[in-house]
Amino acid sequence: MRSPKRVVFLLLIGGVLTAARIARAEGSFTLYDPGTEAVVDYEKYGVFTNVGTAQFRYLIRDREGLSRAVGEGIYPNVTALLKDPAFVQARYNGNLEGPVWNYVNTEDSQLNFFKWASSHEPLGTRQFYTGEMLERAGLLTQAIKAYYACVVNDPKAIGSTFWKTPWYVGPTALDRVAYLTREHPELGMYLKGGRVRIHNRFDDNPNNDIFEVDPGQLILLTPNLARRKHVDVRSLTIKRRLGHGKVSLVQYSNNHWQLIVDSQPYIVRGIAYSATPVGRSPDNGTLTVHRDWMVADDNKNGKIDGPYESWVDKNDNNKQDADEPVVGDFQLMKDMGVNTVRLYHHGYNKTLLKDLYTTYGIRVIMGDYAGAYAIGSGADWYTGTDYSNPDQQKKMLDSIREMVLDYKDEPYIVYWVLGNENNYGNANNSRQNPKAYYEFIDRAAQLIKSLDANHPVALCNGDVLFLDKAAQYCPHVDIYGANAYRGSHGFGDSFWKDIADEWGKPVFISEFGCPAYHHHRSEAEAEVMQADYLKSNWLDIEYNAAGSQGVGNAIGGVLFEWLDEWWKAGPPPQYDPNIHDIVGQFGGPFPDGWSYEEWYGVTSQGDGKNSPYLRHLRKSYFMFKDELWNSQKIAERNAPTL
């Protein structure tokens, strides 16, 4: 996230359950007309043509029949909503006045549903948000119908993000259908096939996009078909291998990828770690984020502060009681199930990192910013790194060479990472000249491989922007890393499929996270929301790892982050690193619609008066410790299906 100087399914037994019965069982409010079909058979009411091509179309032949089937709020039914007494009353009372975008993150899902279902927004956008409001209300069957209606009727719809970049409604809606049917087997639904593939989507220009649309088919299924199936990929033949050293990557005959470390399968259960003291900030020159935590000894007792001297404030009284001994972050992370720490720019304490591995069993993914935030290039912040400049290229390559030569023989290194979402153009010209940037990254990867044959090389991109350029110009890079913040549904099937199609190599989520703050909820409620969000993100990674039912190209992920950092709201004098700010930096798919940069930790620093030692362990910490990253639970979730 923000870096230096960046502000920025019911089981079907004895017949089909009607949509009305399902809706009454599910929802927090009752629909006036949930439709006559829980799973709509679109072929009864119209004709699909050119499925899987850019000329895809669904032509309705029986509009009245389809309207009865889909029910209230779902295209083409436009009359049921107007007959809904609750809608009529809400409109009469003036509860639906104002812009439709004011009805996205409010607490009343019924009013939100009414507003969106009756809005004049483009069809795809209107149906997507109608589905979102139905989903929030627990009306999952009707929500699935709304999402699926996006794909059938308006799969090429394009919206806009907070950053004014294209948001593709069709793939996202299909991802939601896949997610809900997978996560709720009690609904008895299964999405067979389905893909909205968009050629040329990896830039910011929607005018050159070519959509190939296959809506797939929603079908009813028996319970045994709903179970997740796992395969022991090690029983399969290997079709491709990247690297032959201590760490390698293998692709099996089913196209799944696996990371191998010391001859054993390894999935990255990573975390971004920085024990930043309250009051310090790179904006006022008192903090070098990627270095200082490795050397900080504020109490001058010969021990590094965060890793060894933190303690857990169990009763949240912001002081250290007699039953709250010093434990240290390294031990807390080990207990949580962390096996990897991501270092963004080099290492600064070999003794510390070696102890992290030998005592706590935690390895390191080590990176170089490669000119992000103008670090390593010699450029100033305001001019930014120029990836076509030979002098700056040399400085960055020298920095990368130094890192590799210093650490290539250390037993804890897993792989190298180049950059940190540089493609967003943070104090560099990669957005203006992506060819120069990705060619430089490939040159750096070649340099690393000339120095070190034991560890793969990864690129850290911001989501999938310029994914096609990375694939084209970085043949020597082994792993695609994506900092991805896509919401509480995980990353979406289309994310993994797009990377498989364009990149064809393994993927790791180089950052995923969620703030533990909500503007309209208590801190305790916000902690639950953070934990739920992070759980779905991690389970999506597992679902797409080798041997599971997904795409099979995921090799792990890095949770962002360990500890709240109080400097991230923005630079002084507007923002003070001594204050835990609650200002939202940008809109996005977070619990209340905003990102709060100072609240991403799975641990907090309490009121800040005992920084950098006090730790409040949030609900998300215990979720990872007791469930997601617990070795026994991992084995149970991923046991091969007999």
Side-chain angles (χ1 to χ4, degrees):
M1 299 297 282
R2 181 174 181 257
S3 294
K5 294 187 179 291
R6 172 186 167 213
V7 182
V8 245
F9 245 79
L10 300 161
L11 301 180
L12 300 179
I13 302 174
V16 176
L17 292 167
T18 67
R21 286 175 60 198
I22 293 176
R24 285 197 298 268
E26 293 174 349
S28 62
F29 64 87
T30 301
L31 285 169
Y32 168 77
D33 179 12
T36 60
E37 296 181 19
V39 175
V40 178
D41 184 357
Y42 276 88
E43 295 192 77
K44 290 197 314 188
Y45 309 107
V47 178
F48 291 100
T49 59
N50 301 307
V51 172
T53 74
Q55 291 75 43
F56 167 85
R57 185 185 180 192
Y58 177 69
L59 179 64
I60 300 174
R61 300 292 192 186
D62 180 2
R63 183 173 294 266
E64 183 177 345
L66 182 56
S67 294
R68 287 195 302 267
V70 295
E72 180 177 2
I74 314 300
Y75 183 84
N77 189 325
V78 296
T79 60
L81 185 72
L82 301 176
K83 297 177 182 179
D84 187 332
F87 172 76
V88 174
Q89 188 67 50
R91 188 164 61 174
Y92 177 81
N93 292 340
N95 294 333
L96 300 177
E97 295 178 358
V100 68
W101 293 103
N102 290 346
Y103 292 77
V104 174
N105 292 305
T106 64
E107 298 292 305
D108 194 324
S109 57
Q110 185 177 38
L111 286 183
N112 294 344
F113 163 69
F114 287 155
K115 185 67 175 182
W116 275 100
S118 63
S119 76
H120 297 289
E121 289 295 309
L123 176 58
T125 306
R126 180 171 80 242
Q127 286 288 267
F128 183 88
Y129 280 100
T130 298
E132 175 120 318
M133 305 316 157
L134 290 163
E135 181 185 347
R136 292 184 193 177
L139 295 163
L140 302 184
T141 299
Q142 202 72 357
I144 290 169
K145 287 198 283 187
Y147 290 136
Y148 195 66
C150 296
V151 186
V152 172
N153 298 293
D154 195 12
K156 300 180 183 180
I158 300 176
S160 180
T161 70
F162 178 90
W163 306 104
K164 308 302 181 184
T165 56
W167 168 56
Y168 296 97
V169 180
T172 310
L174 198 60
D175 287 345
R176 290 290 180 93
V177 174
Y179 175 88
L180 290 175
T181 55
R182 183 165 72 233
E183 294 300 311
H184 294 276
E186 72 275 7
L187 297 177
M189 298 180 190
Y190 174 69
L191 178 63
K192 182 179 180 181
R195 179 82 185 275
V196 180
R197 186 176 183 184
I198 308 169
H199 298 275
N200 305 318
R201 69 164 293 180
F202 304 112
D203 55 21
D204 287 341
N205 178 21
N207 296 317
N208 62 1
D209 294 336
I210 300 173
F211 290 73
E212 294 177 350
V213 182
D214 176 2
Q217 184 181 13
L218 270 171
I219 61 175
L220 299 170
L221 46 72
T222 55
N224 65 307
L225 293 177
R227 299 181 188 136
R228 292 177 58 181
K229 296 176 174 62
H230 294 268
V231 176
D232 184 355
V233 292
R234 290 174 294 178
S235 66
L236 305 178
T237 59
I238 294 174
K239 61 182 292 187
R240 188 181 183 188
R241 185 185 295 273
L242 298 176
H244 294 82
K246 177 181 177 181
V247 182
S248 63
L249 299 149
V250 296
Q251 187 179 32
Y252 297 95
S253 56
N254 64 349
N255 292 320
H256 288 197
W257 283 96
Q258 195 166 61
L259 177 66
I260 305 297
V261 178
D262 289 335
S263 303
Q264 296 297 317
Y266 190 97
I267 187 164
V268 174
R269 303 193 302 270
I271 200 159
Y273 180 84
S274 184
T276 302
V278 167
R280 297 183 191 172
S281 169
D283 295 304
N284 60 19
T286 61
L287 178 68
T288 301
V289 181
H290 55 268
R291 181 196 66 198
D292 287 1
W293 72 266
M294 294 189 221
V295 297
D297 180 16
D298 284 3
N299 57 12
K300 310 299 181 185
N301 67 351
K303 298 179 181 179
I304 306 302
D305 293 334
Y308 297 128
E309 298 213 272
S310 64
W311 47 271
V312 178
D313 182 22
K314 295 186 294 185
N315 58 5
D316 299 338
N317 66 352
N318 286 291
K319 63 181 182 180
Q320 188 175 12
D321 298 315
D323 62 343
E324 296 172 344
V326 168
V327 58
D329 287 343
F330 284 180
Q331 183 63 50
L332 290 172
M333 288 192 294
K334 177 184 179 181
D335 295 342
M336 179 179 164
V338 173
N339 67 2
T340 314
V341 165
R342 179 185 172 191
L343 303 184
Y344 286 72
H345 192 75
H346 297 217
Y348 296 89
N349 189 330
K350 282 190 175 183
T351 301
L352 179 73
L353 297 180
K354 186 168 291 186
D355 189 54
L356 173 67
Y357 174 62
T358 57
T359 301
Y360 303 96
I362 299 175
R363 299 175 186 264
V364 170
I365 295 172
M366 186 170 288
D368 185 286
Y369 275 129
Y373 326 112
I375 295 174
S377 66
D380 66 84
W381 173 265
Y382 297 100
T383 303
T385 300
D386 178 359
Y387 288 103
S388 65
N389 183 304
D391 291 335
Q392 294 184 28
Q393 288 181 0
K394 182 179 183 304
K395 287 184 175 69
M396 290 184 288
L397 291 173
D398 286 345
S399 174
I400 292 165
R401 179 183 291 106
E402 178 184 6
M403 171 187 71
V404 175
L405 291 177
D406 277 352
Y407 285 92
K408 67 183 181 69
D409 295 324
E410 296 298 323
Y412 44 78
I413 296 295
V414 184
Y415 50 81
W416 312 103
V417 179
L418 294 170
N420 184 56
E421 58 188 36
N422 301 35
N423 56 319
Y424 288 156
N426 301 312
N428 69 74
N429 68 345
S430 63
R431 201 147 190 174
Q432 293 74 36
N433 195 352
K435 182 175 183 290
Y437 169 61
Y438 289 112
E439 286 182 336
F440 170 75
I441 290 296
D442 196 61
R443 184 178 172 189
Q446 292 182 70
L447 170 64
I448 292 174
K449 292 184 175 186
S450 73
L451 302 170
D452 174 29
N454 281 310
H455 305 97
V457 181
L459 159 72
C460 175
N461 230 33
D463 209 278
V464 294
L465 178 65
F466 300 135
L467 168 62
D468 53 344
K469 298 289 193 301
Q472 180 179 359
Y473 297 119
C474 297
H476 296 91
V477 175
D478 305 304
I479 303 167
Y480 186 87
N483 289 359
Y485 296 82
R486 290 195 167 203
S488 60
H489 297 76
F491 309 98
D493 291 6
S494 61
F495 172 86
W496 305 101
K497 291 175 181 177
D498 283 344
I499 300 177
D501 288 343
E502 296 288 337
W503 183 252
K505 296 177 183 177
V507 185
F508 89 109
I509 305 298
S510 42
E511 282 183 10
F512 70 97
C514 175
Y517 178 81
H518 190 293
H519 192 63
H520 304 290
R521 300 290 185 94
S522 68
E523 286 193 28
E525 290 174 307
E527 282 194 27
V528 173
M529 291 178 174
Q530 181 196 44
D532 289 344
Y533 187 112
L534 297 178
K535 180 177 181 178
S536 68
N537 277 227
W538 178 258
L539 291 180
D540 194 27
I541 293 171
E542 273 194 6
Y543 182 79
N544 287 281
S548 196
Q549 282 184 285
V551 176
N553 53 356
I555 61 169
V558 176
L559 172 61
F560 188 91
E561 62 179 323
W562 171 250
L563 181 68
D564 289 349
E565 299 180 84
W566 287 27
W567 62 271
K568 289 194 167 187
Q574 183 177 4
Y575 300 103
D576 187 338
N578 290 287
I579 296 174
H580 204 185
D581 286 291
I582 56 173
V583 59
Q585 281 69 49
F586 59 88
F590 302 106
D592 73 352
W594 288 90
S595 171
Y596 301 92
E597 292 273 3
E598 297 189 359
W599 293 78
Y600 274 78
V602 294
T603 73
S604 83
Q605 303 198 59
D607 64 6
K609 294 179 180 178
N610 280 292
S611 175
Y613 307 107
L614 181 148
R615 298 292 180 265
H616 166 68
L617 306 182
R618 292 192 167 120
K619 288 178 173 58
S620 51
Y621 173 90
F622 294 102
M623 176 191 64
F624 280 99
K625 174 180 180 291
D626 299 331
E627 182 179 354
L628 297 185
W629 289 353
N630 176 285
S631 58
Q632 181 177 344
K633 296 294 181 67
I634 293 172
E636 290 172 359
R637 288 197 304 272
N638 297 285
T641 305
L642 300 178

